[in-house]
Amino acid sequence: MTPHSQATPAMAETELSATALEAPVARGEEFRDKNPRKVLSAAELAPLTRLSDWKSAAALAQTLGLLVATLALGVFGFHLLREGALAGVACILAAILLTGCWQHALAIISHESTHYRLFASRFANDLIGRIAGMLIGVSTYAYRIVHRVHHNNLYEAIDPDLALMAGYPRGRMYLVKKLLKDAAGLTAWRNYLYFFGAPAMNTATGAKQKPLDDTTERLRRQALADRWVVAAFHGLMLAGTFALGVGVEYVVLWILPAITVQAVILRLRAVAEHGAPSHTRSPFGAARTNIALPLWARVALFPHHVNYHLEHHLYPAVPHYHLAALHEKLRAAGALDDAEVRPFAETMKRVFAERGSLQTESRRARAV
């Protein structure tokens, strides 16, 4: 535990949230204000930070409904295969691809929970967020700690996301090779270490990342316990599905998309949000909002409005369903005129560009 991560009773009563509109939190649990331009007043921000339980419930229901329908398609595909119909292969492949997309959408639901933006009730927020994360092998409590370090130290040496997002552009084939390794399931173990609170080492400094040591003892205990819950859940799921005779279906329709399709999505989204930045002095250059999204990108990469990533870094207290309105307010105020707001196609050109072809100030770190 680092010295600054110890919370005192006095600190616990201090408001430390990004917009001064959230409930008080202890030092070591706060998402710090990294916004250098105080464009919006507290009165303007208040309606944007207001939580709507029904909107969160609708987003969750949409994702779960898509998952159930897609899994049903996959199960039907296995039925067709047993009947000797090759159309079953197409159904199974489509189910694998789509399930990976909806698993990623569940990860976004879990992400909302890490910011306490899912439900107004802290109990409901954490319970639903933990379940959403657990289904895809993510410890939401551990991720909360890791993600806080990312927000509070964007593009700094201890940013746990550097290994995934920094150093771009590196050439078209570099990213293609990385995505192919993701699609083959060769990098999934790194993702799960990250979501369990053990992100990759910063190879530029040789420093091992230990985000679980940079928080309060309360959150650290929660994270350590939650990791065992997630691991036990998936161990029981494997044993139970094979005992019931549907283990192959479980592995193909749930585990396989999680370690292949979702891994591709996680890397490509991270690079689209932070790769090849114009500068790293503030979130205005180091975090990117992607606009003019093609349908596939909206579905696969940016569900639940996460394309408004710059706005999220500026005001993490704003829930996902208000990010578009926040974007419009900032745009109207001129705050985004020189910020990283780009059409998605332009972002892809930047991150797939040849090494050294762009002038950026990003720290170089070898990607994993």
Side-chain angles (χ1 to χ4, degrees):
M1 182 78 73
T2 57
H4 66 273
S5 66
Q6 299 287 347
T8 67
M11 288 178 180
E13 296 300 316
T14 303
E15 187 119 358
L16 293 168
S17 63
T19 64
L21 294 171
E22 295 182 76
V25 293
R27 188 175 299 277
E29 300 183 16
E30 81 283 6
F31 286 83
R32 298 177 198 143
D33 188 344
K34 304 289 285 187
N35 184 353
R37 306 176 190 174
K38 309 300 181 184
V39 177
L40 303 181
S41 67
E44 290 175 300
L45 281 172
L48 297 175
T49 58
R50 189 171 298 127
L51 300 184
S52 170
D53 285 355
W54 77 264
K55 287 183 179 179
S56 288
L60 179 61
Q62 177 197 56
T63 298
L64 292 177
L66 290 168
L67 268 172
V68 169
T70 302
L71 291 173
L73 174 65
V75 170
F76 179 64
F78 273 99
H79 170 72
L80 290 178
L81 274 183
R82 293 188 185 100
E83 296 294 321
L86 291 180
V89 175
C91 291
I92 292 171
L93 290 177
I96 291 171
L97 179 63
L98 291 174
T99 296
C101 295
W102 314 145
Q103 288 173 329
H104 173 245
L106 268 185
I108 302 305
I109 296 292
S110 174
H111 167 264
E112 286 288 291
S113 172
T114 67
H115 285 281
Y116 308 104
R117 301 292 86 190
L118 192 56
F119 291 106
S121 162
R122 182 62 57 87
F123 175 80
N125 179 88
D126 284 4
L127 177 63
I128 302 303
R130 287 178 70 194
I131 293 173
M134 182 172 62
L135 289 173
I136 55 173
V138 170
S139 167
T140 298
Y141 279 160
Y143 176 50
R144 175 176 285 156
I145 296 171
V146 175
H147 194 56
R148 168 188 165 270
V149 177
H150 166 63
H151 266 266
N152 293 350
N153 304 277
L154 182 60
Y155 261 104
E156 296 178 11
I158 63 170
D159 184 346
D161 290 18
L162 277 181
L164 196 61
M165 70 189 191
Y168 288 90
R170 296 171 178 266
R172 181 182 301 275
M173 290 312 300
Y174 177 89
L175 185 51
V176 168
K177 290 176 182 177
K178 289 293 182 183
L179 294 173
L180 288 174
K181 288 178 68 175
D182 294 335
L186 300 178
T187 59
W189 65 276
R190 296 181 186 271
N191 291 333
Y192 287 108
L193 282 178
Y194 173 94
F195 286 121
F196 268 46
M201 178 185 295
N202 183 339
T203 55
T205 64
K208 187 176 181 180
Q209 307 283 43
K210 297 182 178 180
L212 296 192
D213 290 342
D214 187 16
T215 189
T216 61
E217 187 60 29
R218 180 183 74 88
L219 281 191
R220 185 173 183 274
R221 286 197 305 268
Q222 286 181 342
L224 293 175
D226 192 52
R227 297 192 306 187
W228 285 106
V229 172
V230 174
F233 171 79
H234 283 279
L236 289 172
M237 285 296 293
L238 272 173
T241 54
F242 275 100
L244 293 171
V246 292
V248 173
E249 287 87 339
Y250 173 67
V251 170
V252 172
L253 298 177
W254 192 258
I255 301 298
L256 186 60
I259 66 174
T260 58
V261 177
Q262 188 180 207
V264 171
I265 292 171
L266 288 172
R267 183 183 300 275
L268 194 54
R269 179 169 63 82
V271 174
E273 291 172 342
H274 293 291
S278 54
H279 65 80
T280 59
R281 297 187 303 274
S282 77
F284 285 95
R288 179 179 298 113
T289 285
N290 286 276
I291 57 176
L293 300 175
L295 179 61
W296 73 266
R298 185 177 300 279
V299 170
L301 298 182
F302 302 112
H304 305 312
H305 313 96
V306 293
N307 57 300
Y308 296 106
H309 198 61
L310 167 57
E311 293 78 4
H312 171 63
H313 268 271
L314 296 175
Y315 299 102
V318 175
H320 72 89
Y321 41 79
H322 289 323
L323 288 175
L326 174 61
H327 173 80
E328 289 305 316
K329 279 187 176 291
L330 292 173
R331 186 187 60 79
L336 303 179
D337 290 349
D338 59 347
E340 272 291 327
V341 179
R342 300 180 186 274
F344 179 71
E346 184 178 330
T347 294
M348 289 295 97
K349 288 180 181 178
R350 287 180 68 85
V351 300
F352 279 100
E354 291 304 315
R355 183 188 295 269
S357 62
L358 302 176
Q359 290 188 349
T360 69
E361 302 174 19
S362 62
R363 288 178 170 84
R364 299 293 173 179
R366 190 174 66 194
V368 296

